[in-house]
Amino acid sequence: PYEMRVLTQPDFSDLYVPAWGNALCASRRELDVLGVGAYDASGRLIGLAGCSADCGSMWQIGIDVLPEHRREGIASALTSRLALEIVARGKVPFYCAAWCNIPSVRNAIRAGFRPAWAEMTVKDRAFVDNMNGMNGGKP
């Protein structure tokens, strides 16, 4: 039910705000090259997948969806659409997620990504619970 729009660097100028902090990176704006936004009927941006040109041939995808619109399939729709836009430009899309960030990993899988490499780190339980939107280990 939402309109999707392909966005380029000039469209990002007003989007470097906390709500889109996973999709875009304010400290590396020059690397943010492409995005796909989901807009509600009023024209308000409710979800954003963005990608950064982290190297010459591979572009990394990040995603944000406003809290009131999560669990509607918006994240995976935007992620997979952006991946196709990246491929159409002759680049390889990739998606990084901490395995303890279960919602992000689920999004990647739903969007068609599969694990290619893994890096192991250790974080305390409070960090992991916070990342997964849990309070003290309780949903």
Side-chain angles (χ1 to χ4, degrees):
Y2 305 111
E3 177 189 1
M4 281 198 256
R5 298 181 201 158
V6 175
L7 308 171
T8 59
Q9 277 184 327
D11 302 312
F12 300 150
S13 60
D14 295 332
L15 300 179
Y16 288 99
V17 296
W20 314 121
N22 291 312
L24 301 172
C25 184
S27 64
R28 302 180 329 146
R29 292 173 189 232
E30 69 281 1
L31 297 179
D32 292 333
V33 292
L34 190 64
V36 177
Y39 294 82
D40 67 11
S42 71
R44 181 175 75 128
L45 182 64
I46 60 167
L48 177 64
C51 68
S52 57
D54 286 4
C55 72
S57 60
M58 297 175 67
W59 290 359
Q60 179 176 197
I61 295 175
I63 181 75
D64 286 296
V65 175
L66 296 179
E68 63 270 24
H69 289 284
R70 292 181 184 158
R71 302 187 59 83
E72 295 178 27
I74 296 168
S76 60
L78 290 172
T79 302
S80 60
R81 170 72 184 275
L82 182 55
L84 292 172
E85 294 289 339
I86 293 168
V87 169
R89 286 160 175 78
K91 306 297 181 185
V92 176
F94 72 102
Y95 186 106
C96 290
W99 279 103
C100 63
N101 187 343
I102 296 166
S104 186
V105 171
R106 282 185 182 147
N107 175 57
I109 302 267
R110 285 187 185 119
F113 286 90
R114 296 295 177 256
W117 67 86
E119 179 179 326
M120 297 288 290
T121 58
V122 177
K123 301 287 184 185
D124 63 44
R125 181 174 178 148
F127 178 91
V128 174
D129 288 347
N130 184 53
M131 182 176 280
N132 286 307
M134 303 183 73
N135 184 7
K138 299 175 185 165

